[in-house]
Amino acid sequence: MKILFAASECAPFIKTGGLADVVGALPKALASHGADVRVMLPLYPALAAVADGGEEVLDLGALMGYPARLIAAEAAGLKLLLLEAPHLYDRAGGGPYLTPEGQDWPDNPQRFAALGQAVARLVHSGADGWFPDLVHAHDWQAALGPWFLKQADSLVPSLTSIHNVAFQGLADAALGPSLGLDMAGFHADGFEYYGSISFLKAGLVASDRISTVSPTYARELMLPEFGMGLDGVIAARGGDLSGIVNGIDTEIWNPATDPDIPAPYGPRSLTRKARNRAALAKRFGLSPSEDAPLFCVISRLTRQKGLDLLIDALPALLGRGARLALLGTGDADLESAFCHSAETHPGQIGVVIGYDEALSHLMQAGADAILIPSRFEPCGLTQLYGLRYGTLPVVARTGGLADTVIDANHAALAAGTGTGVQFAPVTQPALEQAILRTCDLYADRKLWAALTRRAMRQPVGWEDSAAQYMTLYQDILSAGAEASA
Ligand code: ADP
Ligand code: GLC
């Protein structure tokens, strides 16, 4: 089965969040099921060295007015199809979407409509003889791919995956023709969204099937509280929607072999985790005391992640002698609120504003628990890294957090199944209670060690979920074959 992934991010090359982790890991898991997956990505400067070792497989002619081509290259265990269009992607700046000043590039609609057009041209012309059986588009940046396939009456089916419905890719309706869109599709059942063009909606209505990254988020997406205006569109396609929970790359995220931590460990050598804890405390200028848990946060600092609630819950955390190490970047008011907390509570709260992959590994290895008070969370990956590293997740009961963490309440403890702490509703008092409950669990050191070991043994890899994607792809292909028979 030949699958074309199309996405705007892919770890380890270019990453702003979990989308990159998924696009970097899932193809390898699918390959072990026999799939031939190629990943189409814009050729950003971060991929220039990879492209240097590749070769042209398709001349795309003019794309958004200038020449473009696809370059095939292999790196990090992935087969890449790099979309070389320097006028769109060869730019200095803050990652894939932002100018050096941190604003969205004004031509993001053109930049990612081009990605969609390149998908359709590849499906039509092939890449040096490679023709995909199915296109799997990730998030709004790739979602015009399925639309353009439909617009061209292609028989190649597609799947659009929603990683986060908060990002929809809206563009001014007047841009439509210049993006390559036939404006006959600009209506409520097409890509029109409250008077604008929505890239994500285009993918959702044009794809053969839709998926998202956890079963609970799949249900939530059909509700007005979570669907962000697309709940009706998604509910109308409820029968075509699947929720498949994300896995993690268990080779990159392996506490037994992690090169970014001072003392590699496993479930049977937990005393070594204490050395990572000491290193983490030192790095953040925190007291190394073991009387209370050391919590960590590794996150985009945005409203989605609920970290404003944590600011207000800090007195409860500090009142129990616990400590917090936070790594994140995002909204200016949250950045400054956490920096202010660190200044007023030296030794108890440590904050690093920025993006630091290696430090995130040390934090997962050294902290006792990871706090994730998200208002919504399609899947979430940091709780899965937490489980793998025996750093107990303390999570809001929403989306993928609800699906991947088992609350260590009395019944779960009696049954020997808890792996973390969940709370609901997502409010400051409920978060405070969850923090206090975590401190109580931590105080029983034998119980805590048992919880930690159990967390580390949870299956968080891609095996099961990759098998589910294979079944989904097979279903899509069989339905397509029946329809054309
Ligand atoms: P989202 O994609 O919504 O940001 P996820 O939990 O799915 O949330 O994925 C976030 C990914 O980004 C994880 O791999 C996490 O470790 C990483 N991450 C987030 N913020 C930072 C940061 N400041 N430094 C390093 N890694 C980060
Ligand atoms: C999005 C979501 C996150 C999910 C990630 C990968 O960024 O916010 O919950 O884990 O995509 O699917």
Side-chain angles (χ1 to χ4, degrees):
M1 193 188 300
K2 289 173 284 177
I3 312 285
L4 176 67
F5 267 41
S8 58
E9 300 185 22
C10 178
F13 313 109
I14 179 110
K15 166 168 168 178
T16 70
L19 169 66
D21 293 297
V22 173
V23 175
L26 176 55
K28 293 186 265 182
L30 293 170
S32 70
H33 286 269
D36 173 7
V37 185
R38 317 251 163 132
V39 184
M40 188 188 289
L41 288 173
L43 204 180
Y44 308 108
L47 279 153
V50 174
D52 284 346
E55 61 180 75
E56 177 179 320
V57 285
L58 180 64
D59 181 347
L60 291 163
L63 189 64
M64 297 293 160
Y66 293 87
R69 56 187 190 142
L70 279 182
I71 295 174
E74 290 197 26
L78 298 165
K79 292 181 185 167
L80 304 173
L81 291 168
L82 301 172
L83 174 53
E84 185 188 65
H87 58 296
L88 301 171
Y89 309 123
D90 187 10
R91 300 181 186 177
Y97 318 120
L98 304 180
T99 66
E101 293 73 40
Q103 307 297 317
D104 281 330
W105 287 106
D107 62 345
N108 275 346
Q110 288 83 350
R111 297 173 75 224
F112 295 106
L115 181 61
Q117 287 188 20
V119 166
R121 290 190 202 176
L122 163 63
V123 166
H124 181 263
S125 307
D128 228 359
W130 187 84
F131 289 86
D133 300 314
L134 186 146
V135 169
H136 185 169
H138 295 268
D139 267 352
W140 73 265
Q141 295 89 348
L144 284 191
W147 181 271
F148 286 132
L149 288 177
K150 195 174 159 175
Q151 190 171 287
D153 293 325
S154 170
L155 292 178
V156 172
S158 62
L159 169 69
T160 293
S161 284
I162 305 173
H163 293 263
N164 191 336
V165 84
F167 304 107
Q168 302 186 352
L170 298 183
D172 195 299
L175 286 177
S178 69
L179 300 177
L181 289 168
D182 176 348
M183 291 307 275
F186 188 69
H187 54 73
D189 296 324
F191 52 77
E192 186 267 349
Y193 178 86
Y194 295 99
S196 294
I197 293 166
S198 162
F199 282 35
L200 182 60
K201 187 177 171 191
L204 298 182
V205 298
S207 293
D208 294 75
R209 296 282 286 266
I210 301 170
S211 74
T212 189
V213 289
S214 68
T216 295
Y217 194 58
R219 288 191 295 276
E220 290 172 344
L221 276 172
M222 294 187 266
L223 306 172
E225 302 89 293
F226 292 96
M228 308 224 175
L230 287 176
D231 36 288
V233 176
I234 296 168
R237 296 215 56 194
D240 295 326
L241 173 67
S242 314
I244 302 178
V245 80
N246 286 333
I248 63 172
D249 188 323
T250 49
E251 280 178 24
I252 294 173
W253 294 93
N254 182 355
T257 56
D258 193 326
D260 292 318
I261 67 177
Y265 62 100
R268 265 177 263 140
S269 50
L270 275 179
T271 45
R272 293 171 63 80
K273 188 167 164 57
R275 280 182 44 205
N276 299 307
R277 191 182 198 275
L280 174 62
K282 192 162 173 227
R283 174 78 185 261
F284 279 82
L286 300 174
S287 140
S289 154
E290 291 188 10
D291 296 342
L294 198 174
F295 290 93
C296 77
V297 169
I298 304 161
S299 186
R300 293 187 287 117
L301 303 180
T302 66
R303 200 185 137 71
Q304 173 191 343
K305 302 294 179 178
L307 293 164
D308 48 315
L309 305 174
L310 178 59
I311 296 275
D312 297 332
L314 283 176
L317 184 151
L318 296 172
R320 291 292 290 267
R323 274 136 298 128
L324 172 70
L326 176 139
L327 167 64
T329 169
D331 295 353
D333 53 343
L334 283 172
E335 290 186 356
S336 65
F338 279 110
C339 289
H340 178 72
S341 306
E343 277 158 27
T344 42
H345 299 282
Q348 288 181 290
I349 299 179
V351 170
V352 171
I353 299 297
Y355 190 93
D356 188 334
E357 194 75 29
L359 180 56
S360 77
H361 283 246
L362 174 63
M363 295 173 76
Q364 292 282 9
D368 299 303
I370 180 161
L371 286 167
I372 314 172
S374 306
R375 290 193 168 84
F376 66 94
E377 195 61 76
C379 181
L381 294 175
T382 57
Q383 83 280 14
L384 301 179
Y385 300 138
L387 290 171
R388 177 101 167 124
Y389 280 67
T391 299
L392 294 198
V394 179
V395 304
R397 187 176 302 129
T398 185
L401 300 173
D403 293 338
T404 55
V405 176
I406 303 168
D407 183 55
N409 54 37
H410 288 299
L413 290 177
T417 55
T419 58
V421 171
Q422 288 192 351
F423 66 94
V426 192
T427 58
Q428 176 200 332
L431 170 59
E432 273 176 18
Q433 283 308 312
I435 289 171
L436 298 180
R437 201 146 64 82
T438 309
C439 293
D440 291 342
L441 290 169
Y442 180 86
D444 182 341
R445 302 317 307 272
K446 228 171 124 192
L447 173 64
W448 187 263
L451 281 170
T452 304
R453 268 188 228 105
R454 187 177 310 132
M456 293 182 79
R457 294 198 173 108
Q458 293 301 300
V460 289
W462 270 107
E463 293 79 5
D464 285 355
S465 297
Q468 290 181 50
Y469 276 107
M470 290 301 287
T471 305
L472 176 56
Y473 296 151
Q474 202 57 62
D475 284 355
I476 296 172
L477 292 174
S478 313
E482 267 171 39
S484 59

